[in-house]
Amino acid sequence: MGRGRVELKRIENKINRQVTFSKRRNGLLKKAYELSVLCDAEVALIIFSSRGKLYEFSSTSMTTTLERYQRCCFNPHDNSVDQTEAQSWYQEVAKLKAKYESLQRTQRHLLGEDLGPLSVKELQNLEKQLEGALSQARQRKTQIMMEQMEELRRKEQQLGDMNKQLKIKISLEMSSFEAEGQQASLRTLPFPWNAGTSAGTNNYIVQQASHPMDIEQEPVLEIGYHHHHNLGEGSSAPRSIGVESNFIQGWTL
């Protein structure tokens, strides 16, 4: 006799329910393992018994499988968002590419290349652009040159002030050096004439201050005829008188 069809409803007998749960749980785990091995599929199986006991099987990692399941099932709008974002990026890339090509074409026109397809109006606009660019370049060049000239003038003034200060400093140092040299030369010279002059002056002052009669008698040149008397030892007074008279006569001359 073949196995009959089992009615799918809750088994009322507690023991039979537990036996059926154990058999079918093991069979389910075995089938999940076979499916993962034979078909190279990522399988994750979670079973909770009526008493709350956990039974699980995972071909790779339960956490990784659950994260993948959440990304695929609980965020279904992500795919549409990704597609919209990709579409916007494609449009942006197309705009940038067109702008890049336009800039390259404009650059070639400014350099005088590929002017054949341009019309008269486009050439006139290009000419105006070139004239405006040339005018701006000249204005900028003039401004830079004026700034450089102003900077050079400022440096020239600074150098002139420094030169004046150095000249003043050098003149002061030279004056002090000359003064010190003169003082040093005055200190080193012997000045013999000063001593002689002072000595002569002092002698003159002494001679003037002294009375003529108190100065020691020097030999006097006698002018005229004078008799020399040979006096004896006892006649000293007349001799002194004659000498004094002769000295007075020569001094008064």
Side-chain angles (χ1 to χ4, degrees), residues 81-129:
V81 171
D82 293 339
Q83 291 179 359
T84 305
E85 186 176 0
Q87 187 67 24
S88 65
W89 280 113
Y90 289 148
Q91 293 177 359
E92 187 69 20
V93 169
K95 291 179 181 178
L96 292 174
K97 187 176 180 180
K99 188 175 181 179
Y100 175 72
E101 292 177 353
S102 175
L103 290 173
Q104 280 189 334
R105 186 168 55 255
T106 304
Q107 183 180 7
R108 288 195 300 270
H109 292 165
L110 292 173
L111 293 175
E113 300 175 357
D114 298 339
L115 299 178
L118 298 180
S119 62
V120 177
K121 187 175 181 180
E122 291 176 348
L123 291 173
Q124 289 177 354
N125 293 331
L126 181 61
E127 185 179 3
K128 290 180 180 180
Q129 290 179 1

Side-chain angles (χ1 to χ4, degrees), residues 125-190:
N125 293 331
L126 181 61
E127 185 179 3
K128 290 180 180 180
Q129 290 179 1
L130 292 173
E131 289 177 354
L134 182 60
S135 176
Q136 292 180 0
R138 288 175 177 173
Q139 291 178 1
R140 180 57 182 167
K141 183 185 70 174
T142 305
Q143 182 181 359
I144 292 173
M145 292 177 67
M146 293 298 292
E147 291 176 356
Q148 291 179 354
M149 290 176 64
E150 188 67 24
E151 184 68 19
L152 291 174
R153 289 195 188 97
R154 186 177 61 82
K155 290 182 178 180
E156 182 182 4
Q157 186 176 1
Q158 291 179 355
L159 292 174
D161 296 339
M162 291 175 63
N163 191 13
K164 290 180 181 179
Q165 293 178 1
L166 290 173
K167 286 182 179 180
I168 294 171
K169 187 175 180 181
I170 290 171
S171 62
L172 293 175
E173 290 180 355
M174 291 295 294
S175 300
S176 62
F177 179 74
E178 291 177 357
E180 290 177 357
Q182 291 178 1
Q183 293 178 1
S185 62
L186 290 174
R187 286 196 300 267
T188 54
L189 289 176

